[in-house]
């Protein structure tokens, strides 16, 4: 509660200033020093990357003042970086109570070599790259001709097994130490103290040669180091969601009538935001909901006197010059296992569609973008009329078309009883894009409209009041192509949640003729323990060798938990 009070003290007086992702304002920088610092721990399934395999990970963001999961930042960034400082991938993870998870399918384009997994929040960037989570990964691409990571003089190193399956609060238990192929494994998490926490579990085959050691929740923080950076570039924490900074040019001429910018992102989860442009021509948008669209449509509102150019500022790349890459080498004796793994990954991917361990994307929570009751009219359920004017006259009773003061047609929505009647037009959203010129859409062919939804509440866009909202969906989604002054900008969507499920042999006859060469037997990124004991089931595959169960996470009081247990498959 004290930290929340500090946050409010910092931000309420400076709400317009802190909107910028990066600031040079010294007063603002001093205010932010009251906020706690953050650290990131990443639990991932393997330090070995190979084409065709899946890299799974979970992000934990912690408040260093209390050493608990952080409620400060709402976005984390995870990147895989090569020795040249280039990003193989960079994921945007929306956090819930300080945690988030995703995965990355390793393509053939990832070369053999040494890589860094880096994770951070925007707030942590003030300390430089050494103030981020950093871990060493080894990539082996057998399709590559030159393999600098192979040392013909090096002997194969035995895997150093660390079976730490019992801690102060939790312990891992399996019924036996050796299993057959395609056999059920029952893993028990013994929670004798009934502790509450947030954890993740990975079950993966151990490599038969040396690979970089994975950090644990107990030791990840030992290589954190805050760099002294210039005050000219100060990163603002993303407290309410992802913070986008944009600008329009030329600068607004009339400072008393600031234009607004509307941003629309379409997809399964639609996003619509507006922002007032400040005196320097800048605006900000907070994205606090997940979305899957890759294109943002922007337009300047409330200003007919200028053709503005709209730009979004790109996210600052983390400075990778301070990263130190370790020079791992593997023995040529490991070639046989590498070849076998490569063949197995190819077979697994060939049977991906018919197996139970696919990774369906979870349905996004479709939050109501617009509050209040509405009436939806699906036009195919009614008699179709040639024009929209006839359509509104005949059966859309909550809205109508009237003439404005200039004699141009515009929509009106019947207000709700006891609500203020401003005598103003409603907002008109067509395919999630705000249309200011109602007459332009009124002339749109009625047969191209799929549905019309009418909201009767009053809506506020900055200083603008609208009486109601008319939300239109067209059949082809092509109406926006006819609009002027729309700027299309590519935007990177956040990683979406997935429902991970792995091969189940409770009905083994269904899969008798399908090979199973999984090296990852199980992955569960979100486990919340609130009961005494928890049992988890998974099945072994046709791959033999030593497998490791890895549990990582933190208790509600911030205590790190790191448990490992091995078993054999023969």
């Amino acid at each position: 509660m004290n930290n929340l009070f500090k946050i409010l003290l910092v931000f309420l007086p400076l709400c317009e200033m802190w909107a910028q992702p990066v600031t040079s304002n010294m007063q603002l920088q001093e205010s932010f020093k009251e906020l706690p610092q953050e650290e990131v721990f990443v639990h991932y399934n393997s330090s070995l990357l190979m084409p065709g395999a899946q890299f799974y990970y979970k992000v934990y963001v912690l408040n260093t003042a209390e050493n608990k999961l952080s409620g400060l930042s709402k976005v984390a960034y995870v990147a895989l970086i090569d020795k040249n400082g280039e990003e193989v991938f960079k994921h945007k993870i929306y956090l819930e109570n300080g945690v988030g998870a995703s995965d990355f399918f390793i393509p053939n384009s990832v070369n053999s070599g040494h890589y860094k997994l880096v994770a951070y929040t925007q707030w942590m960037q003030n300390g430089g790259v050494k103030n981020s989570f950093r871990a060493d990964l080894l990539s082996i691409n057998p399709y590559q001709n030159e393999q600098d990571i192979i040392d013909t003089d090096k002997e194969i190193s035995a895997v150093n097994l660390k079976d730490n399956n019992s801690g102060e609060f939790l312990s891992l238990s399996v019924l036996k130490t050796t299993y057959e192929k395609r056999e059920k494994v029952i893993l028990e998490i013994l929670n004798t103290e009934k502790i509450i926490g947030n954890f993740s579990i990975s079950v993966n085959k151990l490599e038969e040669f040396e690979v970089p050691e994975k950090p644990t929740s107990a030791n990840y923080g030992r290589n954190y180091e805050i760099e002294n950076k210039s005050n000219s570039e100060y990163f603002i924490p993303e407290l309410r969601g992802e913070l986008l900074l944009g600008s329009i040019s030329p600068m607004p001429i009339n400072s008393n009538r600031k234009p607004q910018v509307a941003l629309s992102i379409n997809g399964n989860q639609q996003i619509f935001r507006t922002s007032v442009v400040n005196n320097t021509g800048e605006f900000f948008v907070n994205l606090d909901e997940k979305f899957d669209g890759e294109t943002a449509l922007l337009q300047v509102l409330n200003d007919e006197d200028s053709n503005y150019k709209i730009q979004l500022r790109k996210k600052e790349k983390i400075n990778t010059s301070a990263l130190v890459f370790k020079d791992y080498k593997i023995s040529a004796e490991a070639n046989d296992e590498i070849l076998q793994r490569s063949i197995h990954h190819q077979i697994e991917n060939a049977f991906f569609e018919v197996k139970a361990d696919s990774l369906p994307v979870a349905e996004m929570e479709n939050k109501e973008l617009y509050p209040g009751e509405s009436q939806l009219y699906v036009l195919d359920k009614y008699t179709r009329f040639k024009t929209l004017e006839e359509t509104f006259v005949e059966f859309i009773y909550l809205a109508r078309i009237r003439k404005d003061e200039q004699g141009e047609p515009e929509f009106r929505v019947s207000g709700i009883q006891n609500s203020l009647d401003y005598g103003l037009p409603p907002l008109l959203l067509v395919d999630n894009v705000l249309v200011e010129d109602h007459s332009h859409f009124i002339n749109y062919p009625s047969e191209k409209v799929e549905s019309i939804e009418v909201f009767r509440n009053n809506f506020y866009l900055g200083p603008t009041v609208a009486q109601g909202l008319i939300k239109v969906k067209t059949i082809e989604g092509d109406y926006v192509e006819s609009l002027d002054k729309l700027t299309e900008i590519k935007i990177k969507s956040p990683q979406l949640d997935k429902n991970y499920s792995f091969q189940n042999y409770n009905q083994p006859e269904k899969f008798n003729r399908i090979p199973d060469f999984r090296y990852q037997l199980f992955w569960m990124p979100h486990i919340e323990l609130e009961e005494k004991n928890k049992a988890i089931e998974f099945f072994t595959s046709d791959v033999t060798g030593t497998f490791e169960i890895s549990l990582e996470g933190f208790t509600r009081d911030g205590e790190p938990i790191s448990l490992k247990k091995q078993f054999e498959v023969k």
Side-chain angles (χ1 to χ4, degrees), residues 16-24 77 92 122 233-236 238 241-248 261 263 275-278 280-287 298 310-316 489-491:
E16 184 171 341
M17 298 166 62
W18 69 262
Q20 304 176 40
V22 180
T23 182
S24 59
Y77 301 90
K92 186 190 303 179
Q122 184 165 280
E233 193 175 77
Y234 197 82
F235 293 90
I236 306 306
E238 294 180 302
E242 183 185 1
L243 197 56
L244 302 181
L245 172 64
S247 62
I248 67 172
V261 171
L263 176 144
S275 175
V276 178
V277 178
N278 62 25
T280 64
E282 294 179 326
F283 64 91
F284 74 94
V285 178
N286 249 303
L287 301 180
L298 296 100
I310 308 177
Q311 291 182 315
L312 281 183
R313 177 169 175 170
K314 290 184 178 180
K315 288 283 185 179
E316 297 288 336
I489 294 177
K490 292 297 180 183
I491 187 169

Side-chain angles (χ1 to χ4, degrees), residues 324-429:
V324 178
F325 290 82
K326 295 183 179 179
D327 190 21
Y328 286 94
K329 298 287 185 182
I330 63 173
S331 171
E333 298 175 18
N335 282 340
D336 288 343
E337 187 190 352
I338 293 170
L339 178 61
Q340 185 180 58
R341 278 180 177 253
S342 176
I343 294 171
H344 286 171
H345 291 327
Q346 292 180 58
I347 295 173
E348 276 297 289
N349 289 317
F351 285 89
F352 178 80
E353 296 295 334
V354 297
K355 297 186 66 171
D357 57 349
S358 59
L359 309 174
V361 177
E363 290 186 8
M364 283 185 292
E365 184 181 357
N366 192 11
K367 296 180 181 178
E368 286 294 333
L369 191 58
Y370 310 101
E373 295 182 1
S374 68
Q375 179 68 51
L376 177 65
Y377 302 88
V378 179
L379 269 58
D380 277 346
K381 294 183 178 180
Y382 301 84
T383 300
R384 283 273 186 178
F385 294 90
K386 291 183 179 180
T387 67
L388 286 174
E389 287 191 83
E390 292 176 293
T391 301
F392 273 77
V393 168
E394 293 297 334
F395 59 82
I396 300 183
Y397 307 115
L398 298 179
R400 59 198 182 279
I401 297 174
R402 293 290 184 267
K403 301 283 186 178
D404 63 14
E405 294 178 356
Q406 287 74 39
E408 295 293 329
E410 68 177 8
F411 291 104
R412 291 297 178 93
V413 169
S414 301
I416 299 176
Q417 187 177 5
N418 298 326
S419 66
L420 290 175
D421 188 346
Y422 294 98
L424 296 171
L427 298 178
L428 174 61
L429 282 178

Side-chain angles (χ1 to χ4, degrees), residues 83-332:
K83 293 185 73 171
N84 298 320
E86 298 296 323
E87 295 173 347
V88 176
F89 75 80
K90 183 177 180 180
H91 286 172
K92 186 190 303 179
I93 306 296
Y94 279 22
L95 302 170
E96 293 186 18
N97 301 318
V99 298
S102 190
D103 59 79
F104 175 70
F105 180 80
I106 303 163
N108 293 339
S109 57
V110 178
N111 295 326
S112 295
H114 309 99
Y115 292 79
K116 283 283 187 182
L117 183 70
V118 179
Y120 54 91
T121 64
Q122 184 165 280
W123 178 227
M124 292 168 60
Q125 285 188 265
N126 292 306
V129 71
K130 292 185 178 180
N131 188 45
S132 62
F133 175 87
R134 309 182 307 283
D136 293 292
L137 301 179
L138 181 66
S139 172
I140 302 175
N141 188 334
Y143 308 111
Q144 233 178 276
N145 292 327
E146 297 182 8
Q147 299 285 356
D148 294 336
I149 60 173
I150 302 294
D151 187 348
T152 56
D153 297 326
K154 180 181 174 70
E155 294 185 359
I156 195 165
S157 300
V159 178
N160 185 19
L161 299 181
K162 296 179 181 179
D163 196 348
N164 175 30
N165 69 318
S166 181
E168 183 180 355
F169 306 105
L170 301 175
S171 60
L172 303 178
S173 174
V174 291
L175 296 177
K176 49 188 181 179
T177 58
T178 303
Y179 289 85
E180 301 295 325
K181 297 176 182 178
R182 305 193 181 195
E183 184 177 355
K184 180 188 292 186
V185 180
I186 300 176
L187 167 66
E188 282 194 295
I189 305 173
L190 305 179
N191 186 6
T192 56
E193 301 294 326
K194 294 187 179 180
I195 66 163
I196 298 174
N198 198 305
F199 307 95
S200 45
I201 286 183
S202 172
V203 183
N204 188 267
K205 184 181 185 300
L206 291 174
E207 298 79 13
E208 296 178 7
F209 50 87
E210 187 178 3
V211 294
E213 186 176 355
K214 294 187 293 184
T216 70
S217 56
N219 66 20
Y220 76 95
R222 62 189 177 190
N223 66 346
Y224 270 80
E225 179 183 339
I226 297 180
E227 304 172 20
N228 293 321
K229 294 189 66 180
S230 167
N231 291 330
S232 63
E233 193 175 77
Y234 197 82
F235 293 90
I236 306 306
E238 294 180 302
L239 298 173
R240 294 187 293 153
E242 183 185 1
L243 197 56
L244 302 181
L245 172 64
S247 62
I248 67 172
S249 58
M251 300 275 285
I253 298 174
N254 185 354
S255 60
N256 295 323
R257 189 170 180 267
K258 296 178 181 178
Q260 295 185 71
V261 171
L263 176 144
S264 302
I265 302 174
N266 287 318
N268 292 321
Q269 179 74 41
Q270 293 185 333
I271 300 291
F272 178 75
R273 298 285 188 275
T274 61
S275 175
V276 178
V277 178
N278 62 25
N279 292 330
T280 64
E282 294 179 326
F283 64 91
F284 74 94
V285 178
N286 249 303
L287 301 180
D288 56 357
E289 296 181 45
K290 293 180 180 179
F291 58 93
D292 58 350
E294 298 286 344
T295 301
L297 296 173
L298 296 100
Q299 58 181 316
V300 178
L301 310 177
N302 307 332
D303 199 312
E304 301 175 357
D305 301 327
S306 179
N307 291 319
Y308 289 109
K309 179 180 179 182
I310 308 177
Q311 291 182 315
L312 281 183
R313 177 169 175 170
K314 290 184 178 180
K315 288 283 185 179
E316 297 288 336
K317 277 191 174 184
I318 196 164
N319 187 347
T320 60
S321 60
L323 291 177
V324 178
F325 290 82
K326 295 183 179 179
D327 190 21
Y328 286 94
K329 298 287 185 182
I330 63 173
S331 171

